[in-house]
């Protein structure tokens, strides 16, 4: 099953038989104070820098989130989308749980964007899915029900089924739904990653849908988070995950290497090309800091 996203001139195909798709996570002020201040100041130069840097490091799609308490998000998100469009040409993922902000971002997003996200709560289904349908977008479905994040793989599968069923009723095809099985921190629950991996396997078997993960949640509160994130992402890719909202600079090498090991990179060409390109980027960024 293929999920197709588009910018004005580029097409990104997400599928188990395709290279893993990296959705750059850094256009999000959470944890990035400099970006938050840039949004408050309506200074789009830093936004453009983050967009260009992520694409240079291999991001296939860019997540756009303007969640900040000091700004009018619905007014700012079109400015951010326009700034991103002016410097890169990749599909965009409009990231908010507020319908007004989603609509404002989708109105100026090019091509066929992705929406992050909808979940299985009735209010979300009733408000977000019609927006996705009207825009002709694809959507990430979080396996959350009215009682929160289910504790078992079977219950998360049921939450995904509810989203898929409700989307189908208003004409959103299953190929335009990417399910996020969610992962909690293993520092709190040592079985958290295992439950997510089991959910991925059930989703692939039952629905054959594309699967997204925000992989960095798994390591929250632990030392050497990068190693934990990289190991988990490789396991999740093997289980059937096809895209991730992640940091392409930190995890791009892991993703390219895992694609290679899973037989999705004929003659190692993508891995070698990525290695050479990022080696030059590292040298250039190191020189710029001197």
């Amino acid at each position: 099953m293929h999920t197709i996203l588009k910018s004005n001139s580029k097409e990104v195909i997400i599928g188990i038989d395709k290279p893993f798709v990296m959705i750059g996570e850094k256009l999000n002020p959470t944890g990035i104070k400099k970006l938050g201040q840039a949004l408050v100041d309506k200074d789009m130069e830093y936004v453009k820098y983050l967009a260009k840097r992520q694409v240079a490091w291999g991001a296939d799609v860019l997540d756009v989130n303007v969640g900040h308490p000091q700004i009018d998000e619905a007014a700012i998100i079109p400015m951010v989308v326009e700034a991103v469009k002016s410097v890169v040409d990749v599909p965009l993922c409009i990231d908010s749980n507020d319908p007004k902000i989603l609509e404002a971002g989708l109105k100026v997003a090019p091509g066929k964007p992705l929406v992050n996200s909808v979940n299985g709560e009735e209010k979300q289904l009733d408000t977000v899915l019609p927006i996705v349908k009207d825009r002709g977008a694809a959507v990430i479905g979080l396996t959350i029900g009215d009682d929160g994040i289910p504790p078992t793989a079977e219950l998360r599968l049921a939450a995904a089924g509810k989203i898929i069923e409700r989307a189908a009723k208003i004409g959103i095809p299953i190929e335009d739904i990417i399910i996020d099985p969610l992962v909690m921190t293993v520092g709190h629950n040592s079985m958290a990653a295992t439950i997510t991996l089991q959910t991925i396997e059930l989703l692939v078997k039952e629905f054959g849908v594309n699967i997204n993960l925000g992989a960095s949640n798994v390591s929250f509160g632990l030392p050497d988070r990068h190693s934990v994130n990289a190991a988990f992402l490789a396991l999740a890719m093997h289980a059937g995950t096809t895209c991730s909202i992640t940091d392409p600079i930190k995890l791009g090498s892991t993703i390219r290497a895992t694609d290679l090991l899973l037989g999705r990179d004929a003659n190692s060409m993508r891995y070698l090309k990525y290695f050479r390109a990022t080696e030059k980027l590292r040298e250039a960024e190191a020189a710029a800091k001197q």
Side-chain angles (χ1 to χ4, degrees):
M1 186 179 299
H2 291 161
T3 302
I4 298 174
L5 306 178
K6 297 178 181 179
S7 64
N8 282 327
S9 63
K10 287 187 178 179
E11 181 177 272
V12 172
I13 303 175
I14 304 172
I16 196 67
D17 60 334
K18 300 293 182 181
F20 193 84
V21 170
M22 289 192 284
I23 305 173
E25 70 178 7
K26 288 300 182 181
L27 286 171
N28 185 332
T30 303
I32 307 178
K33 291 183 179 180
K34 188 173 181 180
L35 176 59
Q37 190 58 51
L39 296 178
V40 171
D41 297 338
K42 298 182 181 179
D43 177 6
M44 295 296 109
E45 290 308 307
Y46 190 60
V47 168
K48 293 177 183 179
Y49 164 76
L50 289 176
K52 290 189 291 183
R53 187 171 187 236
Q54 290 184 96
V55 171
W57 281 86
D60 305 291
V61 179
L62 291 180
D63 187 76
V64 178
N65 183 310
V66 296
H68 194 282
Q70 297 178 34
I71 65 173
D72 179 348
E73 295 176 35
I76 292 295
I77 196 166
M79 295 176 57
V80 173
V81 171
E82 292 289 358
V84 172
K85 283 165 52 179
S86 73
V87 292
V88 296
D89 186 22
V90 296
L92 301 182
C93 175
I94 306 302
D95 186 351
S96 177
N97 57 12
D98 186 320
K100 291 182 180 179
I101 299 167
L102 286 177
E103 288 182 316
L106 288 170
K107 193 172 292 184
V108 294
K112 181 180 178 180
L114 180 61
V115 168
N116 184 22
S117 56
V118 70
N119 61 47
E121 297 173 350
E122 286 297 327
K123 182 179 179 181
Q124 279 276 297
L125 293 168
D126 289 341
T127 56
V128 174
L129 287 181
I131 294 171
V132 173
K133 169 62 177 174
D134 290 346
R135 179 58 178 79
V139 63
I140 294 173
L142 307 179
T143 53
I144 298 174
D146 288 312
D147 297 323
I149 299 174
T152 68
E154 290 77 14
L155 289 173
R156 292 186 194 184
L157 178 71
K162 180 179 180 181
I163 294 168
I164 292 167
E165 181 181 358
R166 291 288 287 276
K169 286 183 177 179
I170 65 169
I172 300 174
I174 191 170
E175 58 264 27
D176 282 344
I177 302 169
I178 300 171
I179 295 297
D180 188 328
L182 301 172
V183 62
M184 309 304 289
T185 174
V186 292
H188 176 69
N189 176 5
S190 61
M191 294 301 293
T194 299
I195 292 168
T196 300
L197 294 172
Q198 290 171 347
T199 306
I200 294 167
E201 292 171 356
L202 290 176
L203 287 166
V204 171
K205 182 178 179 180
E206 183 73 19
F207 300 118
V209 289
N210 282 304
I211 296 170
N212 173 77
L213 276 175
S216 61
N217 292 343
V218 74
S219 65
F220 186 78
L222 294 174
D224 189 14
R225 294 187 64 186
H226 173 73
S227 293
V228 180
N229 294 343
F232 175 67
L233 191 54
L235 290 170
M237 289 172 66
H238 181 257
T241 302
T242 50
C243 60
S244 180
I245 298 174
T246 192
D247 184 346
I249 300 159
K250 290 183 178 180
L251 287 171
S253 295
T254 295
I255 289 167
R256 291 291 190 267
T258 306
D259 267 344
L260 171 63
L261 296 174
L262 291 175
R264 299 172 187 157
D265 185 358
N267 301 314
S268 310
M269 293 306 296
R270 293 184 81 250
Y271 180 80
L272 292 171
K273 182 179 179 181
Y274 184 81
F275 176 81
R276 290 164 185 154
T278 55
E279 190 174 39
K280 291 179 181 178
L281 285 169
R282 286 190 182 90
E283 292 173 355
E285 291 187 0
K289 289 179 180 180
Q290 294 178 353

